[in-house]
């Protein structure tokens, strides 16, 4: 009975851990003066960049969504769309976390040394990794749970993976 909900529960626990790690990173000081101004400009630039990137990428995702729905089936197309959205969400949160961790890493290196800076950088990077794994397992588990009685479930699961991978790939290009 619990086995059906294990991926969703695992994903939620992972998201909780991600939120706690993010809070730990954000407890460190952001600095002041020129360093903070530069960090704010980088954060703003990253937000503008990712908004523009995802605007262009969303057109491509919608085209593939309609192609999959028309040529294969709509459950696969919806899973593809869900995977794309999940991947996009992790990208946005990951970019935000990276810009938050970067200035804190610089300030820690300047005031407390390499060990403290490394710790902040490590935790900042772990947010993205844990987030990807948590949302991925929740997405795959959720689709499997919704479509468990459908023999085409594996096709839909591959659609989720394809959507998540495609957005992640193109976001890095």
């Amino acid at each position: 009975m619990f086995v059906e909900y294990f991926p969703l529960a695992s994903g939620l626990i992972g998201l909780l851990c991600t939120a706690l790690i993010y809070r730990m990173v954000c407890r460190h000081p952001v600095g002041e003066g020129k360093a903070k101004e530069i960090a704010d400009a980088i954060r703003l630039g990253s937000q503008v960049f990712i908004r523009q990137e995802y605007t262009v990428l969303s057109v491509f995702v919608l085209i593939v969504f309609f192609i999959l729905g028309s040529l294969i089936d709509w459950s696969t197309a919806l899973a593809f769309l869900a995977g794309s959205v999940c991947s996009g969400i992790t990208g946005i949160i990951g970019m935000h976390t990276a810009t938050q961790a970067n200035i804190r890493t610089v300030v820690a290196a300047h005031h407390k040394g390499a060990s403290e800076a490394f710790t902040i950088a490590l935790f900042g990077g772990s947010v993205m990794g844990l987030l990807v794994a948590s949302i991925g397992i929740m997405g795959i588990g959720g689709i499997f749970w919704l479509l468990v009685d459908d023999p085409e479930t594996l096709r839909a699961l591959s659609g989720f993976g394809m959507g998540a991978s495609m957005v992640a790939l193109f976001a890095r290009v």
Side-chain angles (χ1 to χ4, degrees):
M1 190 81 135
F2 176 72
V3 174
E4 299 170 351
Y5 301 103
F6 186 74
L8 296 173
S10 299
L12 287 174
I13 291 168
L15 290 178
L16 177 63
C17 291
T18 302
L20 292 173
I21 293 170
Y22 176 77
R23 287 189 63 190
M24 284 174 41
V25 169
C26 288
R27 284 189 182 141
H28 294 276
V30 295
E32 53 192 40
K34 192 68 171 169
K36 186 170 180 341
E37 287 177 36
I38 292 170
D40 289 342
I42 291 171
R43 189 172 19 265
L44 177 63
S46 71
Q47 290 169 351
V48 169
F49 168 78
I50 206 161
R51 187 180 309 118
Q52 182 63 35
E53 179 181 45
Y54 283 3
T55 299
V56 172
L57 191 52
S58 65
V59 173
F60 184 69
V61 166
L62 288 175
I63 291 169
V64 174
F65 167 76
F66 284 112
I67 290 171
L68 286 173
S70 300
L71 298 180
I72 297 178
D73 64 50
W74 290 103
S75 63
T76 301
L78 286 171
F80 167 81
L81 189 61
S84 299
V85 168
C86 287
S87 186
I89 289 168
T90 60
I92 291 167
I93 294 170
M95 180 75 82
H96 176 78
T97 302
T99 58
Q100 292 292 325
N102 286 347
I103 184 60
R104 288 165 169 84
T105 301
V106 168
V107 170
H110 182 71
H111 294 290
K112 295 184 179 179
S115 178
E116 182 74 14
F118 177 76
T119 300
I120 295 169
L122 180 70
F123 281 127
S126 70
V127 167
M128 182 65 170
L130 190 54
L131 187 65
V132 167
S134 299
I135 288 181
I137 195 74
M138 287 177 66
I140 290 172
I143 289 170
F144 186 79
W145 183 71
L146 287 171
L147 303 175
V148 73
D149 295 328
D150 183 358
E152 300 297 320
T153 299
L154 290 178
R155 185 181 300 152
L157 289 175
S158 64
F160 180 86
M162 180 181 164
S165 299
M166 187 186 77
V167 169
L169 173 69
F170 284 109
R172 280 159 188 78
V173 173

